[in-house]
């Protein structure tokens, strides 16, 4: 195998790893976001966990996070504005990425 082939394989492996980490971070962010929203809705225990899982599933509908924002905006109504949801989404993504990095270290 040539050096070029080895570099290409290493690049492909890194790309796949990075994509997997981003997917895990987004899923974790969505679960945390779902638990936050469940709390605002007064859900606890298994009901809160089921709601959080519905947020994780909602993110699989579109390539962006707009499907999650749309669902939460509809579900939360006046309990949280779209701006608050978007801010929480960004805040939790940073936290989820840090959590994932700490787990893999």
């Amino acid at each position: 195998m040539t050096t070029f082939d080895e570099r290409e394989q290493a690049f492909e492996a890194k790309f796949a790893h990075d994509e997997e980490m981003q997917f895990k971070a987004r899923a974790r962010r969505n679960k945390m976001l779902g638990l936050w929203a469940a709390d605002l809705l007064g859900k606890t225990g298994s009901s809160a966990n089921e709601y959080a899982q519905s947020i994780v599933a909602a993110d699989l509908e579109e390539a962006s996070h707009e499907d999650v924002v749309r669902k939460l905006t509809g579900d939360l109504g006046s309990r949280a504005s779209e701006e608050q949801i978007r801010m929480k989404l960004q805040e939790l993504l940073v936290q989820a990425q840090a959590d994932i990095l700490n787990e893999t270290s």
Side-chain angles (χ1 to χ4, degrees):
M1 185 177 300
T2 67
T3 302
F4 180 76
D5 292 334
E6 291 170 357
R7 288 181 65 194
E8 183 178 19
Q9 284 183 344
F11 178 76
E12 289 172 358
K14 182 182 180 329
F15 179 79
H17 178 264
D18 290 349
E19 287 296 308
E20 179 183 0
M21 292 296 109
Q22 285 301 316
F23 177 80
K24 287 180 179 180
R26 284 190 307 269
R28 182 170 296 195
R29 173 208 59 197
N30 291 337
K31 183 173 183 183
M32 291 187 297
L33 190 64
L35 291 172
W36 169 77
D39 185 54
L40 292 178
L41 293 168
K43 296 178 184 286
T44 59
S46 63
S47 178
N49 284 324
E50 288 174 17
Y51 183 77
Q53 288 303 319
S54 76
I55 299 301
V56 172
D59 193 31
L60 302 176
E61 294 174 13
E62 294 178 14
S64 71
H65 60 263
E66 291 303 314
D67 41 3
V68 171
V69 172
R70 195 170 32 257
K71 176 170 178 35
L72 288 171
T73 301
D75 290 352
L76 294 174
S78 63
R79 291 178 184 95
S81 69
E82 184 176 328
E83 181 180 339
Q84 289 171 311
I85 293 167
R86 289 182 186 281
M87 286 175 42
K88 195 66 168 175
L89 191 112
Q90 290 301 325
E91 173 190 326
L92 292 175
L93 180 60
V94 171
Q95 182 181 342
Q97 288 171 329
D99 290 351
I100 296 288
L101 284 175
N102 287 336
E103 288 175 2
T104 58
S105 298

